[in-house]
Amino acid sequence: MMILIGAALAAGTGLLVWISRQSGMASRIFDGIAVAAAFLFFVTAADALAQTLLHDTVFMTEVHRVLANPVFLTSGAYLGPYVMARIAVLPVYLFGPK
């Protein structure tokens, strides 16, 4: 399973890098989606933490509610390849021709 997840992450990363290099507009769209995904990801996590504190429950019993949240899963699934793609092209921007 880990190999399949790693392969999917690598494929998604490669696809994002390739499409971003082909079109500046696509790159900006990917950036906008990442901003929305990060916002939703952190709001979902913060809501779960707040609910845990407000209801005085043990976080370990509440963590599955967060992990099963489709918004949390979807936004996290996008952020993984997006962040990897940004890290992958970072050396080009730092050390490439100016």
Side-chain angles (χ1 to χ4, degrees), residues 4-74:
L4 289 175
I5 292 170
L9 178 60
T13 299
L15 186 63
L16 283 172
V17 168
W18 181 71
I19 293 172
S20 293
R21 303 283 286 166
Q22 299 296 316
S23 167
M25 178 61 87
S27 181
R28 286 188 294 276
I29 290 170
F30 291 150
D31 292 343
I33 294 169
V35 168
F39 178 80
L40 292 171
F41 186 85
F42 288 113
V43 165
T44 305
D47 176 61
L49 183 59
Q51 292 299 322
T52 300
L53 294 174
L54 288 173
H55 295 122
D56 199 28
T57 56
V58 178
F59 184 70
M60 292 305 292
T61 61
E62 294 287 318
V63 71
H64 295 97
R65 185 173 64 89
V66 177
L67 296 177
N69 186 323
V71 173
F72 185 81
L73 292 172
T74 304

